[in-house]
Amino acid sequence: MKNTGVTQFLLDHAGGKPVSFHMPGHKGSDIYRRYGYDAFINNFIDCDITEIPGADNLFQTEGIIKETADRYKDLYDVKKSYLLINGTSGGLIAAILASVPQGKKLVMARNCHKSVFNALTLGGIEPVYAYPSMVEEYGISGAVEAEEIARCLDENPEAEAVILPSPNYYGICSDIKAIADVVHARGKVLIVDQAHGAHLKFMTGEPLAAEECGADIVVNSTHKTLCSFTQSAVLNYNSDRVEQYILEDKLQAIQSTSPSYLLMASLDINGDILEKHGEELFAEWQNNIEGFYAKAADVEGLKIMEVPGAMDKTKINIDMSCYGIDGNQLEELLMEKGIYAELVTGNILMCMTGIGNTKEDYDRLLAALKSIAEESVLDKNGAGHGSTAGTEGSEKADNSGAALWMKRRALHDIPKKKQQVHIDESEGLICAASIIPYPPGIPFVCPGEEIGHEEIEYIKLLRNRGEKVIGVDENMCVVVGKEG
């Protein structure tokens, strides 16, 4: 009988030779084979071991794991680096718990990843939300301004630390240097979720990596854009404002006691490739990106999102709404051509490039976009009527949820008693478990916030589109506070 589970899906997908513009950044085995790691790939399953003699220990590194961690310390030029096998999520949780005592306050960007909200629950920590700017045209969150962080800290001087993502999912970067100055002037700790920017340290020009801008702890998803395996990451300890032994204690509490040697080996290989071949690879990557942007500018009606300030250009945010094609439709059209993107938001389709993408990948993406444009009808007023999209009755891209995402809601105590109710019955009740569209993994309604009619309608819209919403089960039930 044919296996119809996860394994068969993966084999079938790989057999189709797809072009990956989604994480992970290695984009397959070619980059490993290019630099002579065939032996590891060919003996993959035999490398899955535990802490036998000589294999070191992730939580008391004295041998081979320490060597790999020290390599990252040197690559990122920080005080100490820690290998993570529970992803950036685990690193962020540990960093927060090490920086903010039980029951204290944390200033956090409202567009933080769900793992940050999980840390609040684990530490009994009270959030103070810093709201990012909005990119009104696309209805997405932009940079977090230093002035907003200053306001939050001045209004909450008892807050212990600040955390924000930079770059965010779309590649929009905050001014970490200015924010670090604000935070440190008030004697606080700055944690940067650099999950989407592990590569910034090695690129030429702007934006700079958070490690270079004064952040105290930086967590990098090396798997997202570089070439380690999914679920591997690196935490960089960059100052003495957080006690190192407390951070290490939280890391061992959060991470698995059976760490994967395959993940750690991929971190080792990634570090080796960066050290020995990084100059060549990053030059190729930047040349390919610049070449793509230059050629894409010649395709009439094809728009690449631009925003003021610093932008990580390795995230390609494509807009073909002039052809009446929204992000979901564009994603489908590209998948028909064997090209898979990372994220859809309204009219935007975000293609996440990585260190493993080749020039051929960019050429295929550009050719596909040209083909889609040629098969469609351009409306220079912005409402297309193409044969491939925009037909009568089709739903136009909806950015209406953006304002709701950044809505400043009153915070109530997180309910201790909880119950499940159908979402239609949740209006006016206090959310007790985060409601999180995924991707991007940013909570839409957080514990302690009231669920309103607009929120209910938008969540139902997402589910009716077939999108994943964590916190809403198959019966459309959500977890809320229970009276009494």
Side-chain angles (χ1 to χ4, degrees):
M1 179 181 290
K2 183 179 179 180
N3 182 346
T4 58
V6 174
T7 306
Q8 193 60 50
F9 173 84
L10 294 174
L11 292 172
D12 290 345
H13 181 71
K17 302 296 181 183
V19 175
S20 166
F21 282 106
H22 56 79
M23 61 182 81
H26 55 67
K27 313 299 181 182
S29 63
D30 286 355
I31 192 169
Y32 275 51
R33 297 192 189 281
R34 175 180 176 178
Y35 292 113
Y37 291 100
D38 302 72
F40 176 68
I41 293 174
N42 296 338
N43 294 280
F44 185 79
I45 196 68
D46 296 316
C47 295
D48 190 13
I49 63 167
T50 189
E51 292 96 336
I52 58 175
D56 205 0
N57 187 297
L58 180 61
F59 305 115
Q60 190 175 358
T61 59
E62 297 174 341
I64 58 174
I65 298 175
K66 183 178 184 299
E67 290 176 14
T68 298
D70 284 347
R71 170 178 267 161
Y72 280 100
K73 175 178 72 71
D74 294 338
L75 283 166
Y76 283 99
D77 190 23
V78 292
K79 287 182 174 290
K80 189 164 185 177
S81 294
Y82 297 88
L83 307 188
L84 304 175
I85 47 77
N86 284 74
T88 288
S89 296
L92 292 174
I93 293 171
I96 292 166
L97 296 181
S99 305
V100 185
Q102 185 85 14
K104 298 295 185 178
K105 287 184 177 182
L106 170 70
V107 172
M108 57 179 286
R110 182 58 179 77
N111 63 329
C112 277
H113 186 262
K114 66 172 187 162
S115 57
V116 175
F117 292 84
N118 291 337
L120 301 181
T121 302
L122 291 173
I125 296 167
E126 182 180 343
V128 175
Y129 292 135
Y131 286 83
S133 59
M134 292 292 296
V135 182
E136 298 294 342
E137 181 180 0
Y138 293 105
I140 63 173
S141 57
V144 179
E145 303 294 342
E147 292 78 11
E148 173 69 357
I149 297 298
R151 179 191 68 78
C152 291
L153 288 173
D154 291 343
E155 292 177 1
N156 299 271
E158 69 277 23
E160 302 282 343
V162 173
I163 186 168
L164 72 154
S166 183
N168 68 11
Y169 219 135
Y170 307 95
I172 301 171
C173 298
S174 299
D175 187 342
I176 299 301
K177 176 66 171 63
I179 291 172
D181 289 344
V182 164
V183 172
H184 295 155
R186 291 158 177 80
K188 311 300 182 182
V189 173
L190 177 60
I191 305 165
V192 174
D193 172 3
Q194 198 169 255
H196 291 275
H199 56 286
L200 293 181
K201 174 69 176 177
F202 314 105
M203 292 286 199
T204 58
E206 301 287 340
L208 297 176
E211 288 90 349
E212 301 172 276
C213 296
D216 300 298
I217 296 177
V218 184
V219 192
N220 295 281
S221 285
T222 52
H223 73 88
K224 281 184 170 63
T225 55
L226 301 179
C227 53
S228 64
F229 291 174
T230 297
Q231 202 174 309
S232 62
V234 172
L235 183 151
N236 287 328
Y237 177 78
N238 206 28
S239 82
D240 297 324
R241 291 184 178 87
V242 178
E243 292 284 357
Q244 187 174 322
Y245 75 92
I246 296 177
L247 175 63
E248 292 175 357
D249 179 67
K250 299 305 180 184
L251 281 170
Q252 65 83 26
I254 293 298
Q255 299 208 89
S256 172
T257 56
S258 299
S260 167
Y261 274 82
L262 298 178
L263 294 181
M264 289 189 286
S266 78
L267 283 165
D268 185 48
I269 292 171
N270 179 66
D272 195 52
I273 289 174
L274 293 181
E275 188 177 85
K276 295 176 180 176
H277 310 286
E279 185 174 350
E280 171 189 24
L281 279 167
F282 287 104
E284 287 179 5
W285 192 356
Q286 290 190 268
N287 287 337
N288 287 335
I289 286 284
E290 290 168 6
F292 174 86
Y293 280 113
K295 293 173 184 175
D298 294 330
V299 180
E300 189 176 12
L302 172 61
K303 185 176 181 180
I304 305 295
M305 185 187 81
E306 294 183 359
V307 299
M311 185 81 184
D312 172 19
K313 293 294 187 73
T314 69
K315 315 292 188 297
I316 305 174
N317 297 281
I318 302 169
D319 175 2
M320 296 192 73
S321 58
C322 279
Y323 290 99
I325 301 173
D326 69 17
N328 285 295
Q329 292 166 323
L330 182 56
E331 180 181 43
E332 290 291 333
L333 292 169
L334 287 177
M335 284 196 294
E336 290 173 7
K337 300 176 185 295
I339 299 170
Y340 291 79
E342 171 68 26
L343 175 70
V344 172
T345 305
N347 285 330
I348 298 173
L349 179 72
M350 191 272 277
C351 289
M352 181 183 288
T353 72
I355 198 170
N357 279 120
T358 62
K359 185 177 184 299
E360 290 72 25
D361 294 338
Y362 296 93
D363 290 344
R364 277 188 62 180
L365 176 60
L366 186 66
L369 293 170
K370 285 182 177 179
S371 175
I372 292 167
E374 289 167 0
E375 294 167 5
S376 305
V377 178
L378 176 65
D379 185 335
K380 293 184 179 180
N381 293 318
H385 302 283
S387 60
T388 58
T391 55
E392 186 177 354
S394 67
E395 186 176 16
K396 292 185 72 175
D398 178 20
N399 293 336
S400 62
L404 289 175
W405 224 301
M406 293 297 113
K407 181 178 177 180
R408 300 184 183 228
R409 304 178 182 91
L411 267 179
H412 304 269
D413 291 337
I414 297 174
K416 292 185 171 54
K417 293 184 178 181
K418 304 175 184 180
Q419 62 178 338
Q420 269 195 323
V421 301
H422 192 275
I423 192 164
D424 285 334
E425 301 171 0
S426 67
E427 185 174 346
L429 301 179
I430 304 303
C431 178
S434 294
I435 299 173
I436 310 167
Y438 204 95
I442 300 166
F444 180 60
V445 185
C446 300
E449 293 181 338
E450 184 177 309
I451 302 173
H453 177 74
E454 290 178 310
E455 286 81 1
I456 292 169
E457 291 304 309
Y458 189 67
I459 291 163
K460 288 163 66 175
L461 174 65
L462 294 177
R463 292 297 291 132
N464 288 336
R465 288 177 178 169
E467 298 184 27
K468 305 290 186 186
V469 183
I470 298 170
V472 182
D473 70 12
E474 66 274 13
N475 297 316
M476 291 297 289
C477 290
V478 294
V479 180
V480 298
K482 182 178 182 179
E483 293 182 2

